Amino acid sequence: LPSRTGLLGGGVCLIHDAAQAGVQLIDFRPTPLPRQDGSRSEYGAPGLLRGLFVMHARYGRLRFEQLVIPAERLARFDGTVSRSLHRDINQFATRVARIENPIWRDSNEAVVGQRLPWDVNAGALAVLRQDGVGAFYGGRIGRRFAADLGLDPAAVAGIEPVIMEAPSVVDGLDNLFMAGDADERRLIQALASGEQAAWQASSSQLPGDVPPATSVVVKGNNDTVVACGLTQGMAFGIGEPTGDFGLWPARGIATSMTLGDGILGPFIKLNQNVNEMRLAGVVTGSDNLPSDVLRASQTVFDAYRAQPGDVSPITQGGVSVGNAEFGTPRRSVVTCSRANSDGDRFCGAAV
């Protein structure tokens, strides 16, 4: 959704390659960029494209430009308002009403199914396909982005993702791999172990609302799995869309601020003895209080611990089918287990 992430946004991914042991962490969150005078700006580093490109270079099989074509085609020929986008437009109507960019100027009056003039965004994707990721950093789009916002062009050109082995803790017979700083990892560990008192105490110390974000969890035919949380720091980015293609700048976030990017996780639970994935998930906020997001996170881990035949709703209180309250945390989770009777694998997904 353009309300939650975009080409100038960022995020963090965990990747487990079934052919290798362990889990890789690729961190490309939109940390604050410096201005031309060296002072800190409110704009975040647009790390998304370089982060995804690094992940593709390590694990992908198709040519990178082949991956861009479907998104470019969608933006050029099918730029319609989805139900999710319509909900975000209504939820953040005050933000949308201040926008002067011609693509979004009257979007607060849009209805589900209405076309918006997103063909200019398709132009940015065409540049990505033809000129590559570098165009958005040291190339023409990156230079224009820096000039429009008064940022240091060298800092924009030098944006790189952080790649490392994901930190992990022992969780029974499994290992729980996580992203985030030490406080966030302790919080995820408490949620995974069901220590409600621990995470409830932590939630009381977290400030403010949680900015909107989004997530994706993908599992291959084997136990290769990718879990990513994506954000632009606030709804519809910060300020006005920039450049000829109307791209949203991300708001800079402090990586040390738990839930400051709207993402809890990603996390992957892995049994390294048999190299099997047990659980992969990301929990993202929708302008919720931290306690709401943590309760949503607890449902993910509770569902993993549930016994056969247990039934638990995926959404939390106050939500009715067809008329969900704005701000409901979104969960994307994939979990796999092996039946004790015949050894068959069972995998399920919920979004």
Side-chain angles (χ1 to χ4, degrees):
L1 290 176
S3 52
R4 295 170 180 268
T5 192
L7 296 180
L8 301 184
V12 60
C13 293
L14 292 182
I15 306 100
H16 168 58
D17 184 351
Q20 303 176 11
V23 175
Q24 288 283 306
L25 185 155
I26 302 179
D27 188 343
F28 47 97
R29 285 174 289 180
T31 53
L33 282 169
R35 299 185 186 278
Q36 289 181 342
D37 61 5
S39 62
R40 174 172 163 164
S41 77
E42 67 272 32
Y43 298 105
L48 183 136
L49 290 178
R50 276 198 169 149
L52 296 183
F53 183 81
V54 164
M55 188 160 55
H56 172 264
R58 290 188 167 216
Y59 305 103
R61 294 183 180 180
L62 299 175
R63 294 176 62 87
F64 186 77
E65 54 267 30
Q66 289 179 268
L67 307 179
V68 179
I69 291 173
E72 181 185 351
R73 185 181 296 122
L74 186 67
R76 192 176 301 279
F77 300 113
D78 191 26
T80 56
V81 177
S82 66
R83 286 190 293 270
S84 295
L85 178 57
H86 185 257
R87 182 183 64 181
D88 278 358
I89 289 173
N90 287 332
Q91 181 179 355
F92 304 108
T94 303
R95 166 79 177 103
V96 175
R98 295 196 300 265
I99 298 170
E100 296 296 330
N101 186 276
I103 300 177
W104 295 95
R105 185 179 298 145
D106 300 319
S107 58
N108 54 348
E109 300 175 3
V111 297
V112 174
Q114 179 178 334
R115 289 183 60 85
L116 292 178
W118 286 347
D119 50 326
V120 294
N121 295 136
L125 291 165
V127 173
L128 175 62
R129 172 173 53 82
Q130 295 168 358
D131 298 349
V133 167
F136 288 76
Y137 297 92
R140 54 179 172 136
I141 294 182
R143 292 194 299 269
R144 174 70 182 274
F145 167 72
D148 285 353
L149 303 180
L151 301 173
D152 181 356
V156 174
I159 293 169
E160 292 183 356
V162 176
I163 306 168
M164 58 183 288
E165 290 290 326
S168 68
V169 294
V170 175
D171 186 20
L173 298 176
D174 305 319
N175 285 80
L176 183 65
F177 294 85
M178 299 165 286
D181 64 1
D183 289 339
E184 185 169 332
R185 295 198 298 271
R186 281 194 291 269
L187 187 54
I188 294 174
Q189 186 177 3
L191 289 160
S193 61
E195 299 173 10
Q196 290 199 9
W199 68 257
Q200 286 174 348
S202 299
S203 69
S204 65
Q205 303 170 16
L206 299 176
D209 291 343
V210 178
T214 189
S215 62
V216 59
V217 180
V218 180
K219 181 182 179 298
N221 291 330
N222 51 23
D223 268 1
T224 295
V225 63
V226 177
C228 296
L230 306 174
T231 183
Q232 49 194 10
M234 63 181 293
F236 295 97
I238 189 170
E240 281 286 317
T242 182
D244 297 330
F245 302 116
L247 301 178
W248 297 102
R251 178 179 69 91
I253 59 168
T255 57
S256 60
M257 181 178 172
T258 303
L259 286 174
D261 51 5
I263 302 165
L264 187 66
F267 43 83
I268 293 178
K269 194 171 186 180
L270 180 68
N271 187 308
Q272 291 190 287
N273 296 319
V274 292
N275 198 29
E276 289 183 356
M277 191 272 292
R278 302 302 193 201
L279 176 72
V282 188
V283 178
T284 58
S286 297
D287 203 33
N288 296 87
L289 294 172
S291 55
D292 297 330
V293 178
L294 297 184
R295 279 195 294 271
S297 307
Q298 190 65 65
T299 65
V300 172
F301 291 106
D302 287 346
Y304 174 73
R305 288 190 291 268
Q307 298 299 314
D310 288 353
V311 177
S312 179
I314 192 65
T315 53
Q316 286 293 310
V319 179
S320 59
V321 176
N323 187 28
E325 292 181 354
F326 292 148
T328 302
R330 301 181 176 191
R331 275 87 74 191
S332 300
V333 61
V334 178
T335 180
C336 296
S337 59
R338 186 181 296 278
N340 293 328
S341 57
D342 56 13
D344 287 343
R345 273 311 272 296
F346 291 90
C347 298
V351 178

